[in-house]
């Protein structure tokens, strides 16, 4: 029998009505046997996420302050779901235990985890599935780091005998039973770990958008949804700020080649975006899957005649950055030049000393700094493979008189990175999007 692990995010489980939609989705496909649930998220834009309310409780309690009001808001969120679905869940007892914990020596991760714990218990009761508490099967080591191998074994042992299950997302525990959470949005990671442990055919990630868009909708009007994206392309997109999935959620399933399908709980008929290792043949209508970017970049340029004959010049340059623990985004080397792209806020505190040191150690003929830049990534394993697409993108920018400060494409040809002035960033994105739509 096929197995789909279906993870539902906070907005998908925000109230009783959303629970009903989730049940309809689960019942529609018998392969959806294992569900991973988040805590209730926002029901409308000014609403509060239950995890944020729990954080308020913890912060107030740990200062010895009043937390009962925030705890009551948590109670009301769950009580509304219980009443709306006519469940018989013993909420009062659970919240009394949480209150007692907050009044003693509260532990942050334990308090935060209660949103997922309670919501998953409600969902399990509503679906008639077995509740699986990750306290027993998502394993952290004593330093609070995920023990991936142990987690895989324990999750597999816990889930194998079950026909259906709801696993709470976002947390696990160490050997001493102390609860640990992933970073925020971490139920995506739980979903991925569960999918890998049961060797699922598919990992569905149900959220409130119909997948990944080919460009930022705040800049481009109505960008198309990307149908397929490779794990590598997704990584670039997330790095460039298109946040659709927790970054740690890709690796566990990518290792096993399990596809991830991003779906919309409010529009279950939409196919969403599928993240795969290899794009299916004939599905690459748009070889360039999208365009994304980041502002707030600076470029340092170092030039020295005949430096290409001197070994170690670039290494010294990188050593200077390493010693000061300055991360760089890109390093481009040419004949007699080294160009470094660094985030402006990272560079700001070191600017003067860094330049003094570069002058002292490398004695360059020219040392320049360009600020207020943005980096745009034109992403697509297939698209950037053909220089035709690259030429079209660069030609379109040239036609509009866009000053281009850097162009970078590695042999991996995953993306083409273009540096343009920050104040022309949005214009450049719109132009590139219009070009790649037909690429
Ligand atoms: N509830 C947690 C958060 O708000 C985890 C999650 O939703 O994935 O970050």
């Amino acid at each position: 029998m096929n197995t789909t692990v279906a993870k539902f995010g906070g907005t998908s489980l925000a109230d009783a009505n959303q629970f009903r939609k989730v049940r309809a989705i689960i019942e529609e496909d018998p392969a959806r046997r294992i569900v991973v649930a988040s805590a209730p998220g926002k029901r409308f834009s000014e609403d509060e996420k239950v995890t944020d309310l729990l954080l308020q409780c913890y912060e107030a309690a740990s200062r010895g302050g009043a937390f009962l009001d925030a705890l009551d808001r948590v109670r009301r969120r769950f009580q509304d779901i219980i009443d709306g679905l006519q469940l018989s869940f013993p909420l009062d007892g659970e919240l009394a235990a949480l209150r007692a914990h907050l009044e003693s020596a509260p532990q942050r991760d334990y308090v935060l985890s209660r949103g997922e714990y309670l919501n998953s218990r409600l969902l399990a009761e509503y679906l008639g599935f077995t509740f699986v508490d990750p306290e027993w099967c998502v394993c952290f080591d004593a330093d609070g780091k995920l023990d991936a191998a142990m987690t895989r074994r324990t999750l597999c042992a816990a889930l194998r005998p079950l026909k259906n299950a709801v696993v709470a997302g976002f947390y696990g525990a160490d050997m001493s039973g102390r609860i640990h959470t992933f970073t925020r949005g971490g139920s995506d990671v739980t979903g991925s770990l569960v999918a890998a442990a049961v060797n699922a055919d598919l990992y569905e990630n149900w959220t409130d958008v119909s997948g990944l868009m080919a460009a930022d909708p705040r800049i481009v009007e109505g960008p198309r949804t990307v149908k397929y994206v490779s794990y590598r392309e997704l990584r670039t997109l997330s790095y460039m700020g298109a946040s659709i999935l927790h970054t740690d959620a890709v690796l566990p399933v990518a290792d096993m080649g399990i596809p991830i399908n991003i779906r919309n709980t409010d529009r279950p008929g939409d196919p969403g975006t599928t993240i795969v290792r290899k794009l299916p043949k004939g599905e690459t209508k748009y070889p360039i899957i999208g365009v994304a970017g980041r502002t707030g970049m600076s470029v340092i340029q170092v030039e020295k005649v005949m430096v290409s004959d001197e070994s170690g010049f670039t290494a010294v340059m990188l050593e200077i950055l390493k010693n000061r623990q300055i991360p760089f985004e890109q390093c481009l080397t040419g004949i007699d030049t080294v160009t470094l792209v660094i985030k402006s806020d990272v560079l700001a505190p070191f600017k003067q000393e860094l330049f003094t040191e570069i002058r002292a150690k490398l004695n360059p003929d020219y040392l320049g700094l360009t600020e207020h830049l943005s980096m745009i990534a034109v992403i697509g394993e297939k698209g950037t493979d053909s220089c035709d697409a690259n030429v079209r993108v660069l030609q379109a920018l040239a036609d509009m008189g866009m000053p281009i400060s850097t162009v970078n494409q590695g042999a991996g040809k995953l993306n083409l990175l273009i540096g343009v002035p920050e104040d022309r960033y949005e214009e450049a994105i719109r132009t590139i999007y219009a070009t790649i739509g037909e690429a």
Side-chain angles (χ1 to χ4, degrees):
M1 197 210 322
N2 280 1
T3 299
T4 295
V5 169
K7 179 258 166 180
F8 290 88
T11 47
S12 302
L13 291 167
D15 60 19
N17 204 29
Q18 293 299 89
F19 268 61
R20 287 189 195 99
K21 291 183 194 167
V22 167
R23 182 155 84 178
I25 290 168
I26 302 283
E27 285 175 351
E28 194 205 76
D29 182 353
R32 294 180 180 130
R33 301 187 302 111
I34 300 175
V35 176
V36 175
S38 285
K42 292 185 180 190
R43 295 160 293 182
F44 41 89
S45 59
E46 314 77 54
D47 197 14
E48 294 168 299
K49 290 182 178 187
V50 163
T51 310
D52 289 329
L53 288 171
L54 290 166
L55 188 58
Q56 280 178 35
C57 291
Y58 166 76
E59 283 172 348
S62 55
R63 285 192 311 264
F67 62 84
L68 288 180
D69 181 52
L71 188 60
D72 193 54
R73 299 214 292 281
V74 172
R75 184 192 63 76
R76 282 206 302 263
R77 292 295 301 271
F78 288 116
Q79 194 61 57
D80 283 352
I81 297 173
I82 292 169
D83 295 345
L85 304 174
Q86 296 178 337
L87 302 175
S88 59
F89 186 76
L91 185 63
D92 290 346
E94 292 288 345
L95 289 179
L98 179 55
R99 179 177 169 171
H101 174 84
L102 284 160
E103 279 166 347
S104 54
Q107 193 221 332
R108 180 188 180 277
D109 286 9
Y110 174 79
V111 175
L112 257 63
S113 72
R114 295 305 87 186
E116 268 70 14
Y117 166 79
L118 291 169
N119 220 26
S120 303
R121 287 201 54 188
L122 296 186
L123 186 62
E125 184 184 327
Y126 182 54
L127 297 174
F129 284 15
T130 308
F131 168 68
V132 173
D133 193 338
E135 177 173 353
W136 310 110
C137 42
V138 173
C139 312
F140 286 79
D141 65 18
D143 300 328
K145 271 194 15 223
L146 177 76
D147 182 336
M150 172 95 98
T151 296
R152 197 190 168 96
R153 282 196 301 274
T154 12
L155 269 176
C156 185
L159 293 170
R160 202 186 300 129
L162 301 175
K163 194 165 156 266
N164 342 72
V166 176
V167 185
F170 190 42
Y171 70 94
D174 64 22
M175 294 291 270
S176 69
R178 191 181 169 88
I179 297 287
H180 290 275
T181 58
F182 294 111
T183 50
R184 294 297 303 266
S187 300
D188 285 346
V189 185
T190 312
S192 182
L193 292 167
V194 168
V198 301
N199 197 6
D201 299 280
L202 181 65
Y203 171 28
E204 284 179 343
N205 193 292
W206 291 84
T207 174
D208 52 6
V209 290
S210 291
L212 204 75
M213 298 196 172
D216 186 340
R218 288 165 301 187
I219 302 176
V220 170
E221 220 189 291
R224 65 182 150 80
T225 303
V226 180
K227 205 166 165 206
Y228 286 98
V229 58
S230 72
Y231 301 122
R232 292 171 73 217
E233 290 168 338
L234 180 76
R235 168 84 190 109
T236 313
L237 272 165
S238 337
Y239 168 81
M240 284 292 176
S243 71
I244 192 141
L245 200 66
H246 193 293
T247 37
D248 295 342
V250 175
L251 200 63
V253 283
D255 275 352
M256 311 215 13
I258 301 170
I260 309 171
N261 187 197
I262 311 283
R263 299 286 291 268
N264 188 347
T265 302
D266 297 323
R267 296 174 59 99
D270 290 354
T273 299
T274 304
I275 305 154
V276 285
R277 184 181 286 160
K278 263 192 162 8
L279 306 178
K281 278 214 166 64
E283 285 291 354
T284 51
K285 183 175 169 218
Y286 298 101
I288 290 181
I289 60 124
V291 56
R294 279 183 176 203
T295 52
M297 296 288 178
S298 294
V299 163
I300 298 179
Q301 191 187 342
V302 195
E303 287 189 21
K304 190 166 176 174
V305 174
M306 305 296 281
V307 80
S308 50
D309 298 343
E310 228 177 84
S311 69
F313 185 82
T314 309
V316 174
M317 186 68 209
L318 297 183
E319 189 73 22
I320 294 173
L321 293 179
K322 186 174 162 227
N323 292 342
R324 292 174 182 275
Q325 297 186 344
I326 306 175
F328 63 90
E329 307 302 302
Q330 294 171 50
C331 172
L332 295 91
T333 56
I335 303 161
D336 301 343
T337 69
V338 179
T339 303
L340 285 154
V341 181
I342 301 178
K343 284 187 194 144
S344 306
D345 57 345
V346 169
L347 183 64
F350 303 96
K351 222 162 36 186
Q352 286 316 321
E353 343 161 13
L354 190 70
F355 273 56
T356 311
E357 192 175 343
I358 295 173
R359 281 201 186 88
K361 290 205 169 133
L362 293 167
N363 188 26
D365 300 330
Y366 174 78
L367 177 60
L369 172 71
T370 315
E371 294 177 290
H372 308 295
L373 287 175
S374 56
M375 284 297 146
I376 296 180
V378 182
I379 306 155
E381 310 210 28
K382 289 276 184 318
T384 54
D385 213 14
S386 81
C387 65
D388 175 52
N390 287 356
V391 167
R392 280 210 264 164
V393 165
L394 293 170
Q395 184 66 56
L397 292 176
D399 287 349
M400 67 190 289
M402 178 69 63
I404 295 175
S405 56
T406 55
V407 176
N408 179 11
Q409 185 183 65
K413 292 190 178 162
L414 173 62
N415 50 48
L416 174 69
L417 298 162
I418 308 168
V420 301
E422 214 165 51
D423 58 357
R424 300 195 67 185
Y425 169 68
E426 297 198 355
E427 210 187 325
I429 292 272
R430 278 191 285 270
T431 301
I432 296 174
Y433 179 75
T435 313
I436 61 170
E438 320 129 25

